[in-house]
Amino acid sequence: MRLTKLEHAALVVEDSGDKLYIDPGSYTTPITESSGAVAVVITHEHPDHWTPEQLSRIVEANPGVRIFGPAGVAAAAAAFPVETVAAGDEVEVGPFRLRFFGGRHAVIHPSVPVIDNVGVLVNESLYFAGDSFTVPDGVEVDVLAVHANAPWMKISEAMDYVVAIAPKRAFPTHEMLLSRVGKSTANVRLQWATEQGGGEYLPLEPGDTIDF
């Protein structure tokens, strides 16, 4: 399998010509070359993780694509055939086995409603928690997508999260609100955390790929 990091929280995973998109949102360059997509996972309803325009492009290029998200996504994206998933659910689509964890978005502030959110584990290897620090208990994570920045977190919390999971490899995501200096600072901290468990930190930029 090959993972390509897109901007912000968006990822695409390819296996044998099939593609899985995760969180194609408003901070991601319009996705216009999505041929071969068999599935889209939207972890939660915030627009930096999905937009109708991004989803429409993928659906138009791939009419049979399946879309998965929690109940909040199904309600927000009612114009699309979203299949509702929750923690504990497992789905197989094409070459991808998807397992879902969590259930709620991290708290931003008491004034901001807490919404549905799921983390997704792809083929027992790649894990992204959406906007949460949900640890997938009992899972040995090969590749972890870890937040470098978000309104609901401190970098120390992201570091503790990485240490708790101890992935073999980790890379930054959710960093479009950071300057270059901010990205570099986050990379230093997240590298340290990854190395505490003997893992390798990969400071991927949009367009970079890794095989796993």
Side-chain angles (χ1 to χ4, degrees):
M1 288 184 295
R2 171 162 291 183
L3 176 149
T4 302
K5 173 183 166 63
L6 306 179
E7 292 94 349
H8 200 52
L11 313 171
V12 57
V13 182
E14 300 180 64
D15 188 357
S16 304
D18 291 329
K19 296 178 182 177
L20 163 68
Y21 282 90
I22 300 175
D23 282 2
S26 58
Y27 297 160
T28 304
T29 298
I31 296 170
T32 59
E33 300 294 334
S34 64
S35 178
V38 297
V40 180
V41 171
I42 301 171
T43 63
H44 63 283
E45 65 196 78
H46 287 158
D48 58 322
H49 291 257
W50 88 284
T51 66
E53 295 79 12
Q54 293 279 40
L55 203 50
S56 291
R57 294 183 192 100
I58 296 172
V59 171
E60 288 169 6
N62 306 275
V65 69
R66 296 174 68 184
I67 306 166
F68 303 98
V73 168
F80 300 90
V82 177
E83 300 179 43
T84 302
V85 291
D89 288 346
E90 298 183 15
V91 176
E92 291 193 14
V93 53
F96 305 110
R97 182 187 181 207
L98 310 175
R99 293 176 59 198
F100 297 94
F101 296 82
R104 302 297 281 171
H105 193 287
V107 175
I108 299 172
H109 186 267
S111 66
V112 180
V114 178
I115 60 173
D116 294 333
N117 177 92
V118 291
V120 61
L121 178 69
V122 181
N123 290 355
E124 301 299 313
S125 184
L126 166 68
Y127 182 64
F128 176 50
D131 276 9
S132 78
F133 285 137
T134 298
V135 175
D137 291 334
V139 175
E140 185 174 316
V141 174
D142 181 11
V143 181
L144 176 67
V146 58
H147 288 72
N149 172 259
W152 45 268
M153 60 162 270
K154 299 184 295 185
I155 194 64
S156 62
E157 295 170 324
M159 293 165 69
D160 288 343
Y161 170 71
V162 174
V163 169
I165 291 180
K168 294 179 182 176
R169 290 176 285 179
F171 69 92
T173 188
H174 211 276
E175 78 278 54
M176 286 296 283
L177 297 183
L178 290 177
S179 66
R180 171 50 57 190
V181 171
K183 286 186 178 184
S184 297
T185 301
N187 282 336
V188 169
R189 302 305 181 194
L190 296 174
Q191 179 177 344
W192 177 90
T194 305
E195 291 174 349
Q196 299 315 293
E200 178 187 9
Y201 185 72
L202 307 170
L204 301 185
E205 293 288 338
D208 288 348
T209 64
I210 57 172
D211 294 322
F212 64 103

